[in-house]
């Protein structure tokens, strides 16, 4: 009992967020089933355990097989029954195939060769370590009926519809406005009523002396005028300067990309290292936009996201993630049904977000590899960004600020040994900043 | 006092009756400006609804709108690879070893590629024996991105496909094969074992195939002489580093003599070591690079050279010939002969005379003295042309004996002296195919233009010297629908192999001896144990059809084996009244790269003139003929025109430059200019000298007649002499260098401090407090004036590395050249610089014989046979830089590593810095030179801009620029070391110029690394700084030039 429970736990932890897993109810059903089976296992050895089977399937088979879809290898739903029906092949054949498919192909088995050729001569990995019990577990898992779709029809989403959070804010503001209006009206009414009372009581409200209107008094006071003019001039200078200095500063630039790529899912939820895709950041001045073959390393098997993720995308971001994956397939020329490349590619024209001007030289490898700066230091919390945007201002002041504060990472770097020792002695500091190392010199970035 | 001198702006003004001159005098504009049309009609003006105020409003609004709109950043798209090639990392350069072999230049090179684009040519340091990249080779990468390249095969004017061309050609060839007429392959020198094999296979298939090798600038005489003596058709190979006495008779071996590549060996022997250096005596008519570098130079006409050579031979070998040389030359020849005899095996004699007798005699002399510099084991294979064969071919074509001609790498309609005959013959062929990168003079006259790839897109192999191989591999996919000659031959011989497979196959069987082909491709070079048999047999089978002519040559040559009779024949050489010496310029060569703006703008090392060729003539002859060189008020140079006639062939309107050191009675004219087809209008400069190149002899008797008008030159150096300012170029003789101490020949300038003479280098006399530069790197560039031959490879390398724009002839004429690195050339006003110094020192008072007023005027004029000195000058990166203190916006500042930084984006273009620079190395961008139709050079088209280095910004209009000491390269070296976590070794730091310098004159490095070469050079006795007395403390060192004037 305890053992089976553990395996359930394994199941849920193993499942990544976008991989479909069945509803809790079916898990409970399985639990019951397993409960029964744990007692019967020793009795009927040939009966497979679908729960164990699932674990085994996920560890051994899932990289090439899906239950309902052709991948590197054929779809495996009801494979045993199907083979028995269509080809008249029994469990023995399957056992032999799983443990040594290459051997069977070589031995000239007709169906083995057919399959081998159908899948472009890709030999299936041999699994001699699988026991008969393991195989029957896996087969039991493949023999399970498909889980029902959890979600109903997808609610259509109006992309123009403002997010709900915004609505409530406006409502509150509107209510407040009405409140204030009512208050103002009430005050006016009160004043009128009081006036009427005064009139009725014959009280004469003292009229103020006919005095100079305020604007005239202001105009006559030269000092005030001067001060005001200076104030306005300074203020406008401040704003003009502010306006001008933000020209070309595109902090927060968040363009719409041809493929909606979510850094949140990839870097955040799945914890993929930035440099897995942006590998050239380690050695080159460019971090590099990953070429599409990098995407296909994973997306060859991940052809759709889990239902939850899909729903989340639709609800919160108005994005159909599965459709975005299809865009990738189209661009890279991948025929998902046939599981092969068509050769017709349409390179993706991404919109570049971080645009340093030509006259500024920036080298990623200096910062990433040598200094060991985290990508997030400049690019912000990318792992939380559904849509990538420019986090930092990328102005020279911003660069220099960092160079002034950041200590040079000299650990285990023979290049720095001598110069760091001499310079730190000269400046009388323990650790040098990038600026002290010469990181503020014009020619280090402008050439 | 007013001058009566008449100035004119154009040739037309000389014509008194010219109507256009009259018109222009009267009116500023030739055409009336149609002001009446829009102002005269009052009605329409009044009825117009746009008032002046409205107009101003529109202008104001649109200006504001435009400037506001400009604030919006553009949307920039980035397109990654779909499948990224494994070897490409965006932002990281890859280097490939390959080989240039265009028939004129042969060198093993490294190609730097960025994101798959070749952007720079560098020296392949593994290929020490295969020559190094000269200025043209450095510039050749730009030829890849030439917008005028033929983009697909053509039949006449229309584009066709390769399959159509294949079908047409093979069908025709088969038809001709049965008809029994001659099929001719006219090619450049490939020096390729595989191509030779392939051509012989082609000959076997079609029969009656005749392969003629044609070098535009022929070395046929030298080949014949060598073949007669050593039985191999090749050129003698010399290693000048092994020679202590070098005598050259008309051989410009520092430029293109015998294919060039001798300068690094020469330079090695020129640097004084243990008190010794080589001695170089040059007999020549034109002032050449070799003559400029010589210790002793004797100007004499080509016919006198022949006599001198005969006399040298007779004295060294011990026969007697009678010559009628003038006394001073006779004496010089005698002393040269004595020196050669004294040097024995340490001497060497070379000659550039295109005469079998002369070449035979030179070989004989070297054999007689047992010259160590001459290496008979590794003769040079990069010239194979046979001028007799070519002449025979032209005659045969004219006679209609040739039915088909297939050409590759040649342009005979431009380069042949009898191009009209060739054209006539070409019209009589039934099939003519030209493999060419351009729709040039020849290819447009052929039936088919077979679009050929650039060498950076081709496969190939070259046997540079016997047993020394070099591999050519593509560094980029073909940009256009091109196919190389060899691929086509494979196709036409029904061979399914690619040329790469073919080479691999051929190498595997005959060259490699079991070593790896891939390794050879990676290295770019392969040195075999001995030359292979197959190559020679390959050659003979290929030439077989033309064997008759071939045999004749051998017979002729054998007839001359008696060197004594050769010398007698030489001695009887008769001189004409005026002799023309044709030559090639280091910047243009044979003219293949005439559409290369870098090379057009490259100033000739001697005349410092770009965008032209010209007749060089001595001052005495010029006076006789009434020819002048004048300077305009702007400082631009003008020169007279002449018509030059050789044997009835006339080249009209050749501009004249009066050349100090030109032998009286001789004139010089360079090949490579005057192209008319396949190049942009801007590049159609100069005159074509090939019609004068009769019988492939570079020396011709000539008549020169003055023609009307003045030519406008683009000359970048108007100050010709040093005027006794020995401080700029320091010179001494070997004797003084060996015997006196440094203080005598290389003193540090002194200033008076409290009436005590103090060296300017001491801190007390300095205006500034010294910054502590002892920590980190401190870069220095060292330039040895003894090793620098002035070849100019560094100038082009700098262009390529730093995206230096080409500004065009007009701008150069206005002294707006942009070269970050210039090579100043100075003549002496007396015979030697030393005499200059003495003369200047002896000035006393203003007037009189030794008066400075007249004296300085005299010193402006170079001597008839001046001493010459070259001095590369770039930003000196002064530690106390005068430019930095005057910049109002702090756009230029100093780095701790010794580099003077220039922040272009900060510069506002006041040009104060340029005014305050004592070295005049700062360059101002007067215009936008990129994407501007007014400057239609490579930066004006998408293709040409592919050559730009992405690590260096392209400067815009209105900013100052200058040498950065290749900070992008030093920073990259530092970053690589940091990433690997290691210290930097000496030699890792390089600038573009120091890396391009094959003579070892430029050494770059970190002087804080006490073990480095450059740190040691800083302590050398010969070291000095340019204008040290100014106290700028430059980071560029110069090394005093030492001349070996010791007569034997």
């Amino acid at each position: 009992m305890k053992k089976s429970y553990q395996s359930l736990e394994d199941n849920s932890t193993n499942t990544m967020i976008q991989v479909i897993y069945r509803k809790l109810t079916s898990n409970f059903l399985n639990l019951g089933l397993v409960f029964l089976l744990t007692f019967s296992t020793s009795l009927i050895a040939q009966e497979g355990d679908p729960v164990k089977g699932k674990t085994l399937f996920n560890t051994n088979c899932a990289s090439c097989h899906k239950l309902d879809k052709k991948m590197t290898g054929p779809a495996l739903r009801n494979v045993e029954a199907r083979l028995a029906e269509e080809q008249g092949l029994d469990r023995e054949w399957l056992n032999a195939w799983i443990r040594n498919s290459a051997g069977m192909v070589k031995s000239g088995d007709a169906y083995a060769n057919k399959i081998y050729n159908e899948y472009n001569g890709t030999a299936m990995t041999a699994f001699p370590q699988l026991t008969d019990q393991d195989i029957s577990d896996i087969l039991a898992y493949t023999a399970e009926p498909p889980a029902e779709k959890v979600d109903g029809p997808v609610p259509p989403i109006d992309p123009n519809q403002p997010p709900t959070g915004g609505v409530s804010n406006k409502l509150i503001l509107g209510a407040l406005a009405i409140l204030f209006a009512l208050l103002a009206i009430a005050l006016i009414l009160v004043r009128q009523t009081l006036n009427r009372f005064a009139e009725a009581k014959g009280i004469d409200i003292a009229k103020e002396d006919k005095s100079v209107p305020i604007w005239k008094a202001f105009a006559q006071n030269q000092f005030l005028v001067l001060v005001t003019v200076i104030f306005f001039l300074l203020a406008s200078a401040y704003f003009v300067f502010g306006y001008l200095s933000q020209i070309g500063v595109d902090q927060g630039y968040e363009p719409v990309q041809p493929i909606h790529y979510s850094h949140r899912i990839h870097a955040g939820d799945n914890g993929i290292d930035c440099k897995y895709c942006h590998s050239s950041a380690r050695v080159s001045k460019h971090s590099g936009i990953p070429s599409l073959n990098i995407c296909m390393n994973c997306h060859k098997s991940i052809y759709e996201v889990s239902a939850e993720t899909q729903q989340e995308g639709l609800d919160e971001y108005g994005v159909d993630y599965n459709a975005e994956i299809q865009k990738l397939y189209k661009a890279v020329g991948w025929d998902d049904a046939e599981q092969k490349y068509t050769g017709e590619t349409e390179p993706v024209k991404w919109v570049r977000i971080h645009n340093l001007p030509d006259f500024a030289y920036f080298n990623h490898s200096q910062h990433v590899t040598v200094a060991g700066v985290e990508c997030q230091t400049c690019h912000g919390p990318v792992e939380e960004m559904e849509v990538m945007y420019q986090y930092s201002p990328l102005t020279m002041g911003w660069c220099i600020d960092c160079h002034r504060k950041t200590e040079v990472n000299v650990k285990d770097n023979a290049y720095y040994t001598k110069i760091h020792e001499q310079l730190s002695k000269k400046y009388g500091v323990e650790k040098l900043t990038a600026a002290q190392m010469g990181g503020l010199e014009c020619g280090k970035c402008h050439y | 006092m007013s001058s009566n001198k008449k100035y004119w702006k154009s040739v037309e003004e000389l014509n008194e009756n010219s109507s256009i001159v009259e018109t222009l005098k009267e009116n500023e504009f030739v055409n009336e400006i149609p002001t009446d049309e829009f102002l005269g009609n009052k009605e329409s003006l009044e009825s117009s609804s746009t008032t002046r105020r409205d107009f101003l409003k529109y202008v104001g609004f649109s200006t504001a709108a435009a400037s506001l709109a400009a604030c919006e950043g553009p949307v920039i798209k980035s397109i990654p690879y779909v499948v990224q090639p494994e070897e490409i990392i965006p932002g990281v350069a890859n280097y490939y070893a390959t080989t240039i072999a265009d028939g004129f230049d042969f060198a093993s090179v490294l190609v730097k590629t960025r994101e798959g684009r070749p952007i720079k040519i560098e020296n392949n340091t593994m290929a020490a024996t295969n020559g190094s990249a000269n200025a043209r080779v450095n510039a050749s990468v730009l030829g890849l991105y030439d917008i005028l390249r033929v983009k697909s095969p053509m039949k006449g004017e229309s584009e066709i496909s390769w399959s159509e061309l294949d079908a047409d050609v093979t069908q025709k060839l088969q038809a001709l094969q049965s008809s029994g007429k001659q099929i001719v392959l006219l090619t450049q020198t490939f020096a390729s074992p595989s191509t030779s094999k392939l051509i012989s296979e082609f000959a076997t298939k079609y029969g009656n195939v005749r392969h003629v090798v044609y070098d535009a600038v022929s070395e046929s005489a030298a080949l014949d002489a060598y073949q007669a003596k050593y039985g191999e058709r090749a050129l003698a190979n010399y290693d000048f580093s092994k020679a202590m006495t070098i005598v050259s008779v008309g051989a410009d071996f520092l430029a293109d003599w015998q294919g060039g590549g001798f300068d690094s060996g020469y330079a090695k022997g020129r640097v004084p070591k243990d008190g010794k250096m080589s001695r170089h005596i040059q007999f020549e008519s034109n002032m050449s690079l070799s003559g400029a570098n010589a210790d002793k130079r004797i100007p004499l006409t080509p016919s006198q050279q022949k006599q001198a050579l005969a006399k040298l031979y007779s004295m060294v070998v011990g026969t007697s010939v009678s010559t009628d040389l003038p006394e001073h030359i006779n004496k010089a020849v005698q002393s040269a002969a004595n020196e050669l005899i004294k040097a024995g095996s340490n001497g060497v004699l070379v000659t550039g005379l295109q005469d079998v007798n002369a070449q035979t005699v030179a070989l004989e002399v070297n054999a007689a003295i047992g010259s160590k510099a001459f290496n008979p084991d590794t003769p040079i294979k990069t010239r194979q042309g046979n001028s007799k064969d070519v002449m025979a071919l032209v005659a045969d074509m004219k006679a209609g004996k040739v039915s088909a001609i297939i050409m590759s790498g040649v342009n005979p309609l431009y380069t042949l002296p009898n191009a009209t005959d060739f054209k006539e013959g070409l019209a009589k062929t039934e099939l003519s195919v030209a493999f060419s990168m351009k729709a040039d003079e020849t290819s447009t006259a052929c039936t088919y233009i077979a679009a050929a790839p650039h060498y950076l897109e081709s496969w190939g192999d070259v046997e540079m010297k016997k047993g020394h191989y070099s591999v050519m591999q593509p560094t980029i996919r073909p940009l256009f629908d091109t196919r190389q000659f060899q691929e086509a031959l494979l196709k036409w011989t029904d061979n399914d192999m690619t040329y790469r497979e073919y080479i691999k196959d051929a190498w595997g069987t005959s060259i490699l001896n079991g070593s790896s082909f891939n390794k050879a491709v990676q290295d770019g070079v392969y040195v075999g144990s001995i030359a292979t048999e197959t190559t020679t047999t390959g050659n003979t089978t290929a030439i077989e059809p033309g064997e008759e002519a071939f045999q004749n040559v051998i017979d002729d040559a054998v007839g001359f084996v008696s060197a004594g009779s050769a010398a007698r024949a030489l001695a009887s050489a008769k001189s004409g009244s005026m002799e023309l010496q044709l030559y090639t310029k280091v910047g243009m060569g044979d003219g293949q790269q005439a559409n290369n703006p870098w090379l057009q703008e490259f100033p000739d090392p001697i005349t410092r003139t770009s965008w032209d060729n010209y007749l060089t003539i001595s001052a005495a002859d010029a006076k006789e003929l009434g020819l002048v060189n004048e300077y305009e008020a702007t400082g631009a140079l003008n020169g007279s025109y002449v018509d030059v006639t050789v044997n009835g062939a006339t080249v009209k309107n050749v501009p004249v430059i009066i050349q100090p050191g030109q032998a009286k009675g001789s004139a010089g004219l360079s090949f490579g200019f005057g192209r008319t087809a396949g190049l942009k209008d801007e590049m159609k400069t100069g005159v074509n000298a090939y019609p004068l190149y009769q019988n492939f002899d570079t020396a011709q008797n000539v008549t020169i007649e003055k023609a009307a008008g003045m030519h406008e030159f683009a000359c970048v150096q108007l100050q010709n002499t040093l005027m006794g300012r020995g401080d700029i170029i320091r010179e001494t003789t070997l004797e003084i260098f060996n015997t006196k101490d440094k203080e005598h020949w290389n003193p540090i300038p002194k200033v008076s401090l409290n009436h005590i003479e103090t060296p300017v280098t001491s801190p007390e006399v300095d205006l500034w407090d010294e910054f502590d530069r002892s920590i980190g790197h401190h870069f220095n560039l060292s330039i040895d004036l003894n090793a620098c031959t002035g070849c100019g490879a560094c100038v082009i390398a700098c262009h390529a590395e730093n995206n230096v724009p080409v500004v065009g002839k007009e701008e150069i004429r206005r002294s707006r050249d942009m070269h970050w690195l210039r090579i100043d050339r100075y003549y002496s006003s007396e015979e030697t610089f030393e005499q200059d110094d003495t003369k200047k020192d002896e000035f006393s008072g203003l007037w009189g014989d030794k008066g400075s007023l007249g004296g300085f005027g005299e010193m402006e004029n170079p001597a008839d046979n001046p001493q010459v000195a070259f001095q590369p000058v770039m930003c000196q990166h002064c530690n106390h830089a005068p430019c930095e203190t005057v910049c109002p916006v702090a756009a230029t500042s100093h780095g701790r590593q010794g580099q003077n930084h220039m922040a272009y984006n900060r510069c506002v273009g006041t040009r104060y810095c340029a005014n305050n620079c004592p070295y005049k190395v700062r360059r101002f961008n007067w215009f936008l030179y990129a994407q501007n139709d007014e400057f239609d050079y490579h930066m004006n088209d998408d293709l040409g801009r592919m050559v730009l280095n992405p690590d260096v910004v392209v400067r815009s209009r209105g900013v100052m620029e200058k040498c950065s000491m290749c900070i992008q390269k030093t920073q990259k070296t530092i970053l690589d070391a940091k990433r690997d976590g290691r210290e930097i070794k000496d030699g890792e730091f390089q600038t573009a110029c120091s890396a391009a310098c094959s003579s070892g004159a430029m050494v770059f490095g970190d002087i804080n690394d006490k073990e480095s070469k450059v740190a040691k050079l800083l302590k050398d006795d010969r070291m000095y700084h340019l204008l040290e007395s100014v106290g700028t403390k430059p980071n560029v060192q110069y090394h005093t030039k030492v001349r070996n004037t010791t007569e034997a």
Side-chain angles (χ1 to χ4, degrees), chain B residues 999-1018:
Chain B
S999 63
M1002 285 178 170
V1003 178
F1004 184 72
D1006 175 6
I1007 52 167
N1008 280 349
D1009 172 5
K1010 297 297 170 211
E1011 293 307 304
S1012 70
K1013 207 170 161 194
V1014 76
K1016 285 176 184 148
L1017 283 167
L1018 184 67

Side-chain angles (χ1 to χ4, degrees), chain A residues 38-249:
Chain A
T38 29
F39 293 101
S40 50
T41 315
S42 53
L43 299 173
I44 338 158
Q46 287 303 310
E47 281 306 304
D49 171 357
V51 178
K52 266 190 198 163
K54 184 171 181 184
T55 322
L56 284 166
F57 185 89
N58 282 344
T59 27
N60 293 313
C61 320
S63 58
C64 298
H65 294 282
K66 284 241 175 324
L67 286 183
D68 299 311
K69 192 169 170 298
K70 226 162 96 170
M71 251 191 7
T72 314
L76 292 184
R77 178 82 67 195
N78 286 327
V79 62
E80 192 181 8
R82 207 176 63 228
L83 281 185
E85 257 171 52
E86 292 172 12
Q87 309 290 336
L89 295 170
D90 55 4
R91 174 66 69 91
E92 281 304 306
W93 188 91
L94 260 172
N95 282 350
W97 170 262
I98 291 168
R99 290 196 182 117
N100 185 9
S101 70
M104 286 189 72
V105 173
K106 221 175 246 171
S107 73
D109 184 274
Y111 186 66
N113 272 299
K114 183 170 172 270
I115 285 283
Y116 178 73
N117 291 329
E118 195 178 326
Y119 287 88
N120 308 321
T122 321
M124 177 174 145
T125 322
F127 294 96
Q129 75 277 17
L130 292 180
T131 59
D132 283 358
Q133 180 59 49
D134 289 339
I135 292 176
S136 54
D137 287 348
I138 293 170
L139 290 175
Y141 171 62
T142 62
E144 287 202 321
E148 286 165 44
K149 280 267 177 197
V150 272
D151 38 56
V154 177
I157 286 206
D158 181 6
N160 297 327
Q161 191 189 332
T164 42
V167 175
S168 65
N169 273 345
K170 271 188 186 167
L171 270 178
I172 293 167
L173 281 175
L176 273 176
I178 292 167
L179 201 71
F180 275 115
L182 285 175
L183 209 66
I185 292 166
L187 280 174
I188 291 166
L189 286 177
V190 167
R191 186 187 149 94
Q192 273 177 355
T193 326
L194 282 176
N195 271 348
R196 239 182 289 136
F197 279 141
E199 222 173 299
K201 295 254 169 97
I203 298 169
D204 194 24
I205 297 166
K207 284 260 158 104
E208 282 177 42
D209 296 340
K210 197 87 174 152
S211 60
V212 196
I214 189 140
W215 62 269
K216 223 173 209 172
F218 176 78
Q220 278 160 357
N221 187 336
Q222 290 196 347
F223 174 73
L224 255 182
V225 171
L226 190 70
V227 167
T228 322
V229 166
I230 289 173
F231 174 76
F232 275 112
L233 279 177
L234 282 176
S236 50
Y238 176 79
F239 284 111
V240 167
F241 181 78
Y243 172 75
L244 289 178
S245 60
Q246 59 83 38
I247 290 174
V249 179

